[in-house]
Structures are given as structure tokens and as C-alpha cells.
């Protein structure tokens, strides 16, 4: 079991409040990801769950037991940091089994658990190597292996892939997803990379200024953002936003909802048509070819610069005047308070 419940959790550093009354239920076996801009409180919240930061107010419950004031070693959670923090003079097997050795486990127990972790993480061929002889991805797997052997109730990951290059990050995302399915253990994962969040998470927690802006599955956050912040934070390229006061720029205005102040639409939900035959016209300022996709940045006058995503099979239209057709079923409306109007 590894359910984690946060009840009105707050964190203060002196007179500055960085976590502002967070309530969150993490079910046993879930992979939950905290995302948000730098300084939003995601790593602080993770460290509070781990016991590395004191909780100023509120409760942290693990399987229904209050662990708010327990030290990290009493919480039965394992943490994997951004830095691998491996001992350079020890080989892989010794690094993975180090915590067991210091806890007084027998050699037979250590060997068995290290062997099991190595099988899970495909480290069997590297057990005799030192960290300096490993790639970044292999070192991170060793760090994860060190967490696995403790058989914790949950894993806490603090931006574990940020030190890896792009190719290794893709490989390690797969490894972590596979590991979660194999272990069926609760995982709480912090990242600033929304691609990691969208591809790994069962649910995503979007944070801003110490407050939860929305919690939901990747699909829920992408298709039904609760507010302007989530709408623009989740998705790359980000959602286009236009002021409803500028609707006169439309040749054929889409249907708006009462109280709407901003109209949002994702780049892939705008079609490019002949000038004069869409909802509005614009001039293509830049077209970025990415192989499978084109990203077109189109100046639509009062509506601003809109991003349109098309198939990479489309021909380059940079510098041309085109029409834009908005998919009516994929429009998002936001009120004066930046909240979505359903």
C-alpha cells in the first residue's frame, strides 16, 4: 500500500508562504506528476512528502497514518534526486546495496535484492563497473535501483532526467513507465518538462505560486483546461488566445458564449484554407518544418500572432496570405476571472 493524502498543507519560509493550503489525494499505485514554472513550489511539496522539509501547517498521511512530523527514514518512501549521488569508489552492485548494508542486512539478502533490482533495470552486465564507466542513463538507473531495494511504499522523483540529453531522456521515460507498471508502486514525480508529464502520468498536478491550478489526466488537462494558465502551460505549441473584444477582425466570427472575455484554440484545431473563405485571414510570417509537422506563425492583425500546426506533407506557405478556419467543437472560452466557461 502507498496512498498519500495531503490535508491543507502549508509551507512558510519566515514570512513568505510558498505552499498555500494544498489538498491532494494520491491513490495507491498512481504515478502522479507535479508540473509548473520555476518557483511554483513543486520540489518543495515533494520534499515535504519525503520529510526533507518541515510542514508548517496541515497533515501528510501515508496509508492513513499521520507522518507529518516523522523523519524521512520513518516514512517508508524512497527518493531519487536530479543528481545521481553515486559513490565513485563503489561499483554498481555496492552502490545499489549500500543502504541495505548500512541497515545491517545479511550478505545473502543484499545479493538477492541487488540481483532483483538489476534484473528489473537491466543492469546485470554492469554490476562490477564504477560510476565513471557508465553513461548518464545507466547512472540514473543505478540511483533508481538503490531506491528499489528498500521496497518502499512509494517512490519520489525530483527532476530525475534533467541532467540527461534529449535521446537519453526519451529512453529513461520508457524505463520509468515500464518500471511503474512492473512494480505497481505509488510514484510522485516532479518535472518542469510537460512532455514527461503528458507521457508518464496517470494524473498531473499543475502548480502555480504554491497553489494547485488543476488536477487531472493528461487528456483532461489538454482537452478541458480549467483556466487560462493551464490552457497555455499544457501543450506545445501552447494554445492560441484571442481577446473577444477583437472579434471584429473575424470575417466570419465563431459562436461565443456569454461572459467570454478570451477565446482559445489549439494550433492543430485551425485549418488553413484559401484567403477569404475562413473565419479570418492572416499573413504567414514564419513556417517551421519539423518533419512530421509544420508550425506556421500567422499575423492576423488585431487577433495577434496565431500558431497553426499542419502536416509536414503540406508545402511551405511562408509569406502568403491565407484563410484560417476554426474548428467550432474545439473552441475554449474564458471569463474575466481567467476561468473556463463550460
Amino acid at each position: 500500500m502507498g496512498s498519500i493524502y495531503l490535508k491543507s498543507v502549508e509551507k512558510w519560509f519566515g514570512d513568505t508562504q510558498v505552499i498555500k493550503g494544498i489538498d491532494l489525494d494520491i491513490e495507491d499505485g498512481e504515478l502522479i506528476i507535479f508540473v509548473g514554472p520555476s518557483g511554483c513550489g513543486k520540489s518543495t511539496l515533494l520534499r515535504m512528502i519525503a520529510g526533507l522539509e518541515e510542514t508548517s501547517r496541515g497533515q501528510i498521511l501515508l496509508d492513513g497514518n499521520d507522518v507529518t512530523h516523522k523523519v524521512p527514514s520513518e516514512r517508508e518512501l524512497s527518493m531519487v534526486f536530479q543528481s545521481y549521488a553515486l559513490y565513485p569508489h563503489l561499483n554498481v552492485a555496492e552502490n545499489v546495496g549500500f543502504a541495505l548494508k548500512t541497515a545491517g542486512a545479511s550478505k545473502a539478502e543484499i545479493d538477492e535484492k541487488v540481483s532483483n533490482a538489476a534484473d528489473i533495470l537491466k543492469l546485470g552486465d554492469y554490476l562490477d563497473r564504477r560510476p565513471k564507466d557508465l553513461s548518464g542513463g545507466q547512472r540514473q538507473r543505478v540511483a533508481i535501483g538503490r531506491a528499489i531495494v528498500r521496497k518502499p511504499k512509494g517512490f519520489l522523483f525530483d527532476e530525475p532526467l534533467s541532467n540527461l540529453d534529449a535521446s537519453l531522456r526519451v529512453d529513461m521515460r520508457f524505463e520509468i513507465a515500464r518500471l511503474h507498471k512492473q512494480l505497481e508502486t505509488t510514484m510522485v514525480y516532479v518535472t518542469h518538462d510537460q512532455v514527461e508529464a503528458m507521457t508518464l502520468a496517470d494524473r498531473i498536478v499543475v502548480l502555480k505560486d504554491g497553489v494547485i491550478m488543476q488536477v487531472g489526466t493528461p487528456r483532461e488537462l489538454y482537452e478541458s483546461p480549467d483556466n487560462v494558465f493551464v490552457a497555455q502551460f499544457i501543450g506545445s505549441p501552447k494554445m492560441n488566445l484571442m481577446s473577444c473584444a477583437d472579434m471584429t477582425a473575424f470575417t466570419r466570427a465563431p459562436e461565443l458564449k456569454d461572459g467570454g472575455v478570451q477565446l482559445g484554440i489549439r494550433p492543430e484545431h485551425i485549418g488553413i484554407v484559401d484567403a477569404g473563405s475562413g473565419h479570418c485571414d492572416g499573413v504567414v510570417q514564419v513556417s517551421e518544418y519539423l518533419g512530421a509537422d509544420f508550425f506556421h506563425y500567422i499575423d492576423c492583425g488585431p487577433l495577434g500572432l496565431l500558431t497553426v500546426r499542419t502536416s509536414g506533407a503540406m508545402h511551405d506557405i511562408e509569406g502568403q496570405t491565407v484563410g484560417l478556419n476554426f474548428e467550432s467543437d474545439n473552441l475554449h472560452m474564458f471569463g474575466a476571472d481567467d476561468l473556463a466557461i463550460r
Side-chain angles (χ1 to χ4, degrees), residues 4 12 41 61 72 76 82 96 116 154 160 174 180 197 199 223 253 261-262 278 282 289-290 296 309 312 328 335:
I4 302 170
W12 294 74
L61 306 178
E76 298 182 79
Q82 177 178 340
V96 171
N116 288 339
F174 168 77
H180 179 242
T199 55
E223 295 183 354
V261 172
Q262 293 188 87
Y289 176 66
L290 285 83
H296 307 283
R309 183 177 194 162
S328 58

Side-chain angles (χ1 to χ4, degrees), residues 129-145:
R129 295 191 187 182
R130 300 284 177 88
K132 66 181 178 63
D133 300 319
L134 304 175
S135 69
Q138 289 164 346
R139 292 179 194 178
Q140 193 57 276
R141 277 190 278 160
V142 174
I144 294 171

Side-chain angles (χ1 to χ4, degrees), residues 194-195 198 218 221-222 229-239 266-268 309:
Q194 63 162 289
V195 175
M198 293 290 285
L221 266 59
Y222 191 80
F229 179 80
V230 174
Q232 292 217 291
F233 190 82
I234 298 295
S236 180
K238 64 184 181 181
M239 180 184 288
R266 297 211 177 270
E268 64 270 25
R309 183 177 194 162

Side-chain angles (χ1 to χ4, degrees), residues 152-173:
K153 290 186 175 181
F155 293 92
L156 309 178
F157 293 89
D158 190 6
E159 302 201 41
L161 310 186
S162 59
N163 286 338
L164 306 181
D165 62 35
S167 176
L168 277 177
R169 281 202 299 271
V170 173
D171 293 340
M172 283 304 300
R173 282 207 309 267

Side-chain angles (χ1 to χ4, degrees), residues 26-311:
I26 301 172
E27 299 299 330
D28 179 40
E30 269 197 301
L31 200 167
I32 291 282
I33 294 191
F34 297 164
V35 296
S38 296
C40 70
K42 55 186 183 292
S43 288
T44 299
L45 189 59
L46 187 79
R47 291 173 64 83
M48 291 167 67
I49 294 171
L52 299 175
E53 292 285 357
E54 182 182 347
T55 301
S56 303
R57 292 175 188 163
Q59 287 183 300
I60 298 175
L61 306 178
L62 177 60
D63 287 339
N65 299 314
D66 190 344
V67 299
T68 310
H69 302 295
K70 288 189 176 182
V71 298
S73 60
E74 297 175 329
R75 298 194 182 198
E76 298 182 79
L77 300 171
S78 284
M79 192 156 181
V80 179
F81 296 91
Q82 177 178 340
S83 170
Y84 318 126
L86 303 178
Y87 296 105
H89 62 290
L90 302 181
N91 63 27
V92 167
E94 292 166 335
N95 266 286
V96 171
F98 185 80
L100 297 175
K101 183 177 180 180
T102 56
S106 67
K107 185 177 185 305
E109 181 185 356
I110 294 173
D111 290 345
E112 180 184 0
K113 290 185 176 180
V114 168
S115 177
N116 288 339
D119 288 343
I120 291 170
L121 294 167
K122 300 180 180 177
L123 288 170
D125 294 335
Y126 308 103
L127 292 177
D128 294 327
R129 295 191 187 182
R130 300 284 177 88
K132 66 181 178 63
D133 300 319
L134 304 175
S135 69
Q138 289 164 346
R139 292 179 194 178
Q140 193 57 276
R141 277 190 278 160
V142 174
I144 294 171
R146 188 170 50 192
I148 287 175
V149 294
R150 295 178 55 197
K151 294 203 171 175
K153 290 186 175 181
F155 293 92
L156 309 178
F157 293 89
D158 190 6
E159 302 201 41
L161 310 186
S162 59
N163 286 338
L164 306 181
D165 62 35
S167 176
L168 277 177
R169 281 202 299 271
V170 173
D171 293 340
M172 283 304 300
R173 282 207 309 267
F174 168 77
E175 294 292 345
I176 290 172
R178 184 179 61 83
L179 180 67
H180 179 242
K181 289 178 181 175
Q182 188 168 352
L183 298 179
E184 298 181 336
T185 305
T186 306
M187 293 184 178
V188 185
Y189 187 112
V190 164
T191 182
H192 64 276
D193 186 340
Q194 63 162 289
V195 175
E196 285 179 34
M198 293 290 285
T199 55
L200 283 174
D202 292 323
R203 288 190 299 155
I204 298 173
V205 179
V206 183
L207 291 156
K208 179 188 177 188
D209 299 331
V211 175
I212 292 178
M213 302 301 289
Q214 188 173 354
V215 181
T217 66
R219 184 175 293 274
E220 287 170 347
L221 266 59
Y222 191 80
E223 295 183 354
S224 300
D226 281 349
N227 49 68
V228 169
F229 179 80
V230 174
Q232 292 217 291
F233 190 82
I234 298 295
S236 180
K238 64 184 181 181
M239 180 184 288
N240 295 294
L241 283 179
M242 295 151 278
S243 169
C244 292
D246 295 326
M247 292 299 106
T248 54
F250 280 103
T251 306
R252 180 165 55 89
E255 184 177 349
L256 305 180
K257 296 177 182 176
D258 292 341
V261 172
Q262 293 188 87
L263 171 69
I265 187 167
R266 297 211 177 270
E268 64 270 25
H269 296 146
I270 302 176
I272 292 180
V273 295
D274 292 336
S277 62
H279 288 99
C280 66
D281 289 344
V283 179
V284 182
Q285 300 293 309
V286 174
S287 289
E288 294 178 341
Y289 176 66
L290 285 83
D293 298 304
F294 258 120
F295 294 164
H296 307 283
Y297 301 93
I298 302 175
D299 185 356
C300 296
L303 297 176
L305 193 68
L306 303 186
T307 305
V308 179
R309 183 177 194 162
T310 66
S311 166

